[in-house]
CSV table of all heavy atoms in Angstrom, one decimal:
chain,number,residue,atom,x,y,z
A,1,ALA,N,22.1,134.5,177.3
A,1,ALA,CA,22.6,135.5,176.3
A,1,ALA,C,21.4,136.3,175.7
A,1,ALA,O,21.5,137.5,175.5
A,1,ALA,CB,23.4,134.9,175.3
A,2,HIS,N,20.3,135.5,175.4
A,2,HIS,CA,19.2,136.2,174.8
A,2,HIS,C,18.5,137.2,175.7
A,2,HIS,O,18.0,138.2,175.3
A,2,HIS,CB,18.2,135.1,174.4
A,2,HIS,CG,16.9,135.6,173.9
A,2,HIS,ND1,16.7,136.2,172.6
A,2,HIS,CD2,15.6,135.7,174.4
A,2,HIS,CE1,15.5,136.6,172.4
A,2,HIS,NE2,14.8,136.3,173.5
A,3,ARG,N,18.5,136.8,177.0
A,3,ARG,CA,17.8,137.7,178.0
A,3,ARG,C,18.6,138.9,178.4
A,3,ARG,O,18.1,139.9,179.0
A,3,ARG,CB,17.4,136.9,179.2
A,3,ARG,CG,16.3,135.8,179.0
A,3,ARG,CD,16.1,135.0,180.2
A,3,ARG,NE,15.0,134.0,179.9
A,3,ARG,CZ,14.7,133.0,180.7
A,3,ARG,NH1,15.4,132.8,181.9
A,3,ARG,NH2,13.7,132.2,180.5
A,4,HIS,N,19.9,138.8,178.2
A,4,HIS,CA,20.8,139.9,178.7
A,4,HIS,C,20.5,141.3,178.2
A,4,HIS,O,20.4,142.2,179.0
A,4,HIS,CB,22.3,139.5,178.3
A,4,HIS,CG,23.2,140.6,178.7
A,4,HIS,ND1,23.8,141.4,177.8
A,4,HIS,CD2,23.8,140.9,179.9
A,4,HIS,CE1,24.6,142.3,178.4
A,4,HIS,NE2,24.6,142.0,179.7
A,5,PRO,N,20.2,141.5,176.9
A,5,PRO,CA,19.9,142.9,176.4
A,5,PRO,C,18.7,143.5,177.1
A,5,PRO,O,18.7,144.6,177.5
A,5,PRO,CB,19.7,142.7,174.9
A,5,PRO,CG,20.5,141.5,174.6
A,5,PRO,CD,20.3,140.6,175.7
A,6,SER,N,17.7,142.6,177.3
A,6,SER,CA,16.5,143.1,177.9
A,6,SER,C,16.7,143.5,179.4
A,6,SER,O,16.3,144.5,179.9
A,6,SER,CB,15.4,142.1,177.8
A,6,SER,OG,14.2,142.5,178.5
A,7,ALA,N,17.5,142.6,180.1
A,7,ALA,CA,17.8,142.9,181.5
A,7,ALA,C,18.6,144.2,181.6
A,7,ALA,O,18.4,145.0,182.5
A,7,ALA,CB,18.6,141.7,182.1
A,8,LEU,N,19.6,144.4,180.7
A,8,LEU,CA,20.4,145.6,180.7
A,8,LEU,C,19.5,146.8,180.5
A,8,LEU,O,19.7,147.9,181.2
A,8,LEU,CB,21.5,145.5,179.6
A,8,LEU,CG,22.6,146.5,179.7
A,8,LEU,CD1,23.4,146.4,181.0
A,8,LEU,CD2,23.6,146.3,178.5
A,9,GLN,N,18.6,146.7,179.6
A,9,GLN,CA,17.7,147.9,179.3
A,9,GLN,C,16.8,148.2,180.5
A,9,GLN,O,16.5,149.3,180.8
A,9,GLN,CB,16.8,147.6,178.1
A,9,GLN,CG,15.9,148.7,177.7
A,9,GLN,CD,15.0,148.4,176.6
A,9,GLN,OE1,15.1,147.3,175.9
A,9,GLN,NE2,14.0,149.2,176.3
A,10,SER,N,16.5,147.1,181.3
A,10,SER,CA,15.6,147.3,182.4
A,10,SER,C,16.2,148.2,183.5
A,10,SER,O,15.4,148.7,184.3
A,10,SER,CB,15.2,145.9,183.0
A,10,SER,OG,16.3,145.4,183.8
A,11,LEU,N,17.5,148.4,183.5
A,11,LEU,CA,18.1,149.3,184.5
A,11,LEU,C,17.8,150.7,184.2
A,11,LEU,O,18.0,151.6,185.1
A,11,LEU,CB,19.6,149.1,184.4
A,11,LEU,CG,20.2,147.7,184.7
A,11,LEU,CD1,21.7,147.8,184.8
A,11,LEU,CD2,19.6,147.1,186.0
A,12,GLU,N,17.2,151.1,183.1
A,12,GLU,CA,16.7,152.4,182.9
A,12,GLU,C,15.5,152.8,183.7
A,12,GLU,O,15.2,153.9,184.0
A,12,GLU,CB,16.3,152.6,181.4
A,12,GLU,CG,17.5,152.5,180.4
A,12,GLU,CD,17.0,152.5,179.0
A,12,GLU,OE1,15.8,152.7,178.7
A,12,GLU,OE2,17.9,152.4,178.1
A,13,ASN,N,14.8,151.7,184.2
A,13,ASN,CA,13.7,151.9,185.1
A,13,ASN,C,13.6,150.7,186.0
A,13,ASN,O,12.9,149.7,185.8
A,13,ASN,CB,12.4,152.0,184.3
A,13,ASN,CG,11.2,152.2,185.1
A,13,ASN,OD1,11.2,152.6,186.3
A,13,ASN,ND2,10.0,151.9,184.5
A,14,CYS,N,14.5,150.7,187.0
A,14,CYS,CA,14.9,149.4,187.7
A,14,CYS,C,13.8,148.9,188.6
A,14,CYS,O,13.4,149.6,189.6
A,14,CYS,CB,16.2,149.6,188.5
A,14,CYS,SG,16.8,148.0,189.1
A,15,HIS,N,13.3,147.7,188.4
A,15,HIS,CA,12.3,147.0,189.2
A,15,HIS,C,12.8,145.6,189.4
A,15,HIS,O,11.9,144.7,189.5
A,15,HIS,CB,10.9,147.1,188.6
A,15,HIS,CG,10.3,148.4,188.5
A,15,HIS,ND1,9.6,149.0,189.6
A,15,HIS,CD2,10.4,149.4,187.6
A,15,HIS,CE1,9.2,150.2,189.2
A,15,HIS,NE2,9.7,150.5,188.0
A,16,LEU,N,14.1,145.4,189.5
A,16,LEU,CA,14.6,144.0,189.7
A,16,LEU,C,14.3,143.4,191.0
A,16,LEU,O,14.1,142.2,191.1
A,16,LEU,CB,16.1,144.0,189.4
A,16,LEU,CG,16.5,144.2,187.9
A,16,LEU,CD1,18.0,144.2,187.8
A,16,LEU,CD2,15.8,143.2,187.0
A,17,CYS,N,14.2,144.2,192.1
A,17,CYS,CA,13.9,143.7,193.4
A,17,CYS,C,12.5,144.3,193.8
A,17,CYS,O,11.9,145.2,193.1
A,17,CYS,CB,14.9,144.0,194.4
A,17,CYS,SG,14.9,145.7,195.1
A,18,ALA,N,12.0,143.8,194.9
A,18,ALA,CA,10.7,144.2,195.4
A,18,ALA,C,10.6,145.6,195.9
A,18,ALA,O,9.5,146.0,196.3
A,18,ALA,CB,10.2,143.2,196.4
A,19,HIS,N,11.7,146.3,196.0
A,19,HIS,CA,11.6,147.8,196.4
A,19,HIS,C,11.0,148.6,195.3
A,19,HIS,O,10.4,149.7,195.5
A,19,HIS,CB,13.0,148.3,196.7
A,19,HIS,CG,13.5,147.8,198.0
A,19,HIS,ND1,12.9,148.1,199.2
A,19,HIS,CD2,14.6,147.1,198.3
A,19,HIS,CE1,13.6,147.5,200.2
A,19,HIS,NE2,14.7,146.9,199.7
A,20,HIS,N,11.1,148.1,194.0
A,20,HIS,CA,10.6,148.9,192.9
A,20,HIS,C,10.9,150.3,192.9
A,20,HIS,O,10.1,151.2,192.7
A,20,HIS,CB,9.0,148.7,192.8
A,20,HIS,CG,8.6,147.3,192.6
A,20,HIS,ND1,8.8,146.6,191.4
A,20,HIS,CD2,8.0,146.4,193.4
A,20,HIS,CE1,8.3,145.4,191.5
A,20,HIS,NE2,7.8,145.2,192.7
A,21,CYS,N,12.2,150.6,193.0
A,21,CYS,CA,12.7,152.0,193.0
A,21,CYS,C,12.5,152.8,191.8
A,21,CYS,O,12.2,154.0,191.8
A,21,CYS,CB,14.2,152.0,193.3
A,21,CYS,SG,14.6,151.3,194.9
A,22,GLY,N,12.5,152.1,190.6
A,22,GLY,CA,12.2,152.8,189.3
A,22,GLY,C,13.3,153.8,188.9
A,22,GLY,O,13.1,154.7,188.1
A,23,VAL,N,14.5,153.7,189.4
A,23,VAL,CA,15.6,154.6,189.1
A,23,VAL,C,16.3,154.2,187.8
A,23,VAL,O,16.2,153.0,187.3
A,23,VAL,CB,16.7,154.7,190.2
A,23,VAL,CG1,16.1,155.2,191.5
A,23,VAL,CG2,17.3,153.3,190.4
A,24,ASN,N,16.9,155.2,187.1
A,24,ASN,CA,17.7,154.9,185.9
A,24,ASN,C,19.1,154.7,186.3
A,24,ASN,O,19.9,155.6,186.5
A,24,ASN,CB,17.5,156.1,184.9
A,24,ASN,CG,18.2,155.8,183.6
A,24,ASN,OD1,19.1,154.9,183.5
A,24,ASN,ND2,17.7,156.4,182.5
A,25,ARG,N,19.5,153.5,186.4
A,25,ARG,CA,20.9,153.1,186.9
A,25,ARG,C,21.9,153.5,185.8
A,25,ARG,O,23.1,153.7,186.1
A,25,ARG,CB,20.9,151.7,187.3
A,25,ARG,CG,20.2,151.4,188.6
A,25,ARG,CD,19.9,150.0,188.9
A,25,ARG,NE,21.1,149.2,189.0
A,25,ARG,CZ,21.1,147.8,189.2
A,25,ARG,NH1,20.0,147.2,189.5
A,25,ARG,NH2,22.2,147.2,189.2
A,26,HIS,N,21.5,153.5,184.6
A,26,HIS,CA,22.4,153.9,183.5
A,26,HIS,C,22.9,155.3,183.6
A,26,HIS,O,23.9,155.7,183.1
A,26,HIS,CB,21.8,153.6,182.1
A,26,HIS,CG,21.7,152.2,181.8
A,26,HIS,ND1,22.8,151.3,181.7
A,26,HIS,CD2,20.7,151.4,181.5
A,26,HIS,CE1,22.5,150.1,181.4
A,26,HIS,NE2,21.2,150.1,181.2
A,27,ARG,N,22.0,156.1,184.2
A,27,ARG,CA,22.3,157.6,184.3
A,27,ARG,C,22.8,157.9,185.7
A,27,ARG,O,22.9,159.1,186.1
A,27,ARG,CB,21.1,158.4,184.0
A,27,ARG,CG,20.6,158.3,182.6
A,27,ARG,CD,19.5,159.2,182.2
A,27,ARG,NE,19.2,159.2,180.8
A,27,ARG,CZ,18.3,160.0,180.2
A,27,ARG,NH1,17.6,160.9,181.0
A,27,ARG,NH2,18.0,159.9,179.0
A,28,GLY,N,23.3,156.9,186.5
A,28,GLY,CA,23.9,157.2,187.8
A,28,GLY,C,22.9,157.3,188.9
A,28,GLY,O,23.3,157.6,190.1
A,29,GLN,N,21.6,157.1,188.7
A,29,GLN,CA,20.6,157.1,189.8
A,29,GLN,C,20.8,155.9,190.6
A,29,GLN,O,21.1,154.8,190.1
A,29,GLN,CB,19.2,157.3,189.2
A,29,GLN,CG,19.0,158.6,188.5
A,29,GLN,CD,17.6,158.6,187.9
A,29,GLN,OE1,16.7,157.7,188.1
A,29,GLN,NE2,17.3,159.7,187.1
A,30,ARG,N,20.6,156.0,191.9
A,30,ARG,CA,20.7,154.9,192.8
A,30,ARG,C,19.5,154.7,193.6
A,30,ARG,O,18.9,155.6,194.2
A,30,ARG,CB,21.9,155.1,193.8
A,30,ARG,CG,23.2,155.3,193.1
A,30,ARG,CD,23.7,154.0,192.5
A,30,ARG,NE,25.1,154.1,192.0
A,30,ARG,CZ,25.4,154.3,190.7
A,30,ARG,NH1,24.4,154.5,189.8
A,30,ARG,NH2,26.6,154.4,190.3
A,31,GLY,N,19.1,153.4,193.7
A,31,GLY,CA,17.9,153.0,194.5
A,31,GLY,C,18.4,152.5,195.9
A,31,GLY,O,19.5,152.9,196.3
A,32,PHE,N,17.5,151.7,196.5
A,32,PHE,CA,17.8,151.3,197.9
A,32,PHE,C,19.2,150.5,197.9
A,32,PHE,O,19.9,150.7,198.9
A,32,PHE,CB,16.7,150.3,198.3
A,32,PHE,CG,16.7,149.9,199.7
A,32,PHE,CD1,16.0,150.6,200.7
A,32,PHE,CD2,17.5,148.8,200.1
A,32,PHE,CE1,16.1,150.2,202.0
A,32,PHE,CE2,17.5,148.4,201.5
A,32,PHE,CZ,16.8,149.1,202.4
A,33,CYS,N,19.5,149.7,196.9
A,33,CYS,CA,20.7,148.9,196.9
A,33,CYS,C,22.0,149.7,196.6
A,33,CYS,O,23.1,149.3,196.9
A,33,CYS,CB,20.6,147.8,195.9
A,33,CYS,SG,20.6,148.3,194.2
A,34,LYS,N,21.8,150.9,196.0
A,34,LYS,CA,22.9,151.8,195.6
A,34,LYS,C,23.8,151.2,194.5
A,34,LYS,O,24.9,151.8,194.2
A,34,LYS,CB,23.8,152.1,196.8
A,34,LYS,CG,23.1,152.6,198.1
A,34,LYS,CD,22.3,153.9,197.8
A,34,LYS,CE,21.7,154.4,199.1
A,34,LYS,NZ,20.8,155.6,198.8
A,35,VAL,N,23.4,150.2,193.9
A,35,VAL,CA,24.2,149.5,192.8
A,35,VAL,C,23.9,150.3,191.5
A,35,VAL,O,22.8,150.7,191.2
A,35,VAL,CB,23.8,148.0,192.6
A,35,VAL,CG1,24.6,147.4,191.5
A,35,VAL,CG2,24.1,147.3,193.9
A,36,GLY,N,25.0,150.5,190.7
A,36,GLY,CA,24.9,151.1,189.4
A,36,GLY,C,24.7,150.2,188.3
A,36,GLY,O,24.1,149.1,188.5
A,37,ALA,N,25.1,150.5,187.1
A,37,ALA,CA,24.9,149.7,185.9
A,37,ALA,C,25.8,148.5,185.8
A,37,ALA,O,25.6,147.5,185.2
A,37,ALA,CB,24.9,150.5,184.7
A,38,ARG,N,27.0,148.7,186.4
A,38,ARG,CA,28.0,147.6,186.4
A,38,ARG,C,28.3,147.1,187.8
A,38,ARG,O,28.1,147.8,188.8
A,38,ARG,CB,29.3,148.1,185.8
A,38,ARG,CG,29.3,148.4,184.3
A,38,ARG,CD,28.9,147.2,183.4
A,38,ARG,NE,29.9,146.2,183.5
A,38,ARG,CZ,29.8,145.0,182.9
A,38,ARG,NH1,28.8,144.8,182.1
A,38,ARG,NH2,30.8,144.1,183.0
A,39,SER,N,28.7,145.9,187.9
A,39,SER,CA,28.9,145.2,189.2
A,39,SER,C,30.3,145.1,189.6
A,39,SER,O,31.2,144.9,188.8
A,39,SER,CB,28.2,143.8,189.1
A,39,SER,OG,26.9,143.9,188.7
A,40,ASN,N,30.4,145.0,190.9
A,40,ASN,CA,31.7,144.7,191.6
A,40,ASN,C,31.6,143.3,192.2
A,40,ASN,O,30.5,142.9,192.6
A,40,ASN,CB,32.1,145.7,192.7
A,40,ASN,CG,32.8,146.9,192.1
A,40,ASN,OD1,32.6,147.2,190.9
A,40,ASN,ND2,33.6,147.5,192.9
A,41,ILE,N,32.7,142.6,192.3
A,41,ILE,CA,32.8,141.3,193.0
A,41,ILE,C,33.7,141.5,194.2
A,41,ILE,O,34.8,142.0,194.1
A,41,ILE,CB,33.4,140.3,192.0
A,41,ILE,CG1,32.5,140.1,190.8
A,41,ILE,CG2,33.6,138.9,192.7
A,41,ILE,CD1,31.2,139.5,191.0
A,42,PHE,N,33.2,141.1,195.4
A,42,PHE,CA,34.1,141.2,196.5
A,42,PHE,C,34.7,139.8,196.9
A,42,PHE,O,35.6,139.8,197.8
A,42,PHE,CB,33.4,141.8,197.7
A,42,PHE,CG,32.3,141.0,198.4
A,42,PHE,CD1,32.7,140.1,199.4
A,42,PHE,CD2,31.0,141.2,198.1
A,42,PHE,CE1,31.7,139.4,200.1
A,42,PHE,CE2,30.0,140.5,198.8
A,42,PHE,CZ,30.4,139.6,199.8
A,43,SER,N,34.3,138.8,196.3
A,43,SER,CA,34.9,137.5,196.5
A,43,SER,C,34.6,136.5,195.4
A,43,SER,O,33.4,136.5,194.9
A,43,SER,CB,34.4,136.9,197.9
A,43,SER,OG,34.9,135.6,198.1
A,44,SER,N,35.5,135.7,195.0
A,44,SER,CA,35.3,134.6,194.0
A,44,SER,C,36.3,133.5,194.3
A,44,SER,O,37.5,133.7,194.0
A,44,SER,CB,35.4,135.1,192.6
A,44,SER,OG,36.7,135.7,192.3
A,45,GLN,N,35.9,132.5,194.9
A,45,GLN,CA,36.8,131.4,195.4
A,45,GLN,C,36.0,130.2,195.7
A,45,GLN,O,34.8,130.1,195.9
A,45,GLN,CB,37.5,131.9,196.7
A,45,GLN,CG,36.5,132.2,197.8
A,45,GLN,CD,37.2,132.8,199.1
A,45,GLN,OE1,38.3,133.3,199.0
A,45,GLN,NE2,36.5,132.8,200.2
A,46,ILE,N,36.8,129.1,195.9
A,46,ILE,CA,36.2,127.8,196.4
A,46,ILE,C,35.8,128.0,197.8
A,46,ILE,O,36.5,128.5,198.7
A,46,ILE,CB,37.3,126.7,196.3
A,46,ILE,CG1,37.6,126.4,194.8
A,46,ILE,CG2,36.8,125.4,197.0
A,46,ILE,CD1,36.5,125.7,194.1
């Protein structure tokens, strides 16, 4: 919970993976992964 705000802010200049795209995902910019600021789940099961 403590780390969440910082991680959310990091999407303004995204370097979460080694592509280092530097895009602002909060503003709709998309890097190599094409993921935005919120996530989708395609499976959750045993």
Side-chain angles (χ1 to χ4, degrees):
H2 174 75
R3 291 174 177 172
H4 175 257
S6 175
L8 194 60
Q9 184 184 352
S10 77
L11 300 187
E12 295 176 0
N13 181 19
C14 189
H15 292 274
L16 291 178
C17 80
H19 287 299
H20 295 291
C21 297
V23 297
N24 188 333
R25 289 165 56 179
H26 287 300
R27 294 188 176 181
Q29 296 176 5
R30 298 290 186 266
F32 188 94
C33 69
K34 309 300 182 186
V35 177
R38 293 297 299 178
S39 300
N40 275 27
I41 300 291
F42 71 84
S43 177
S44 58
Q45 61 186 15
I46 293 288

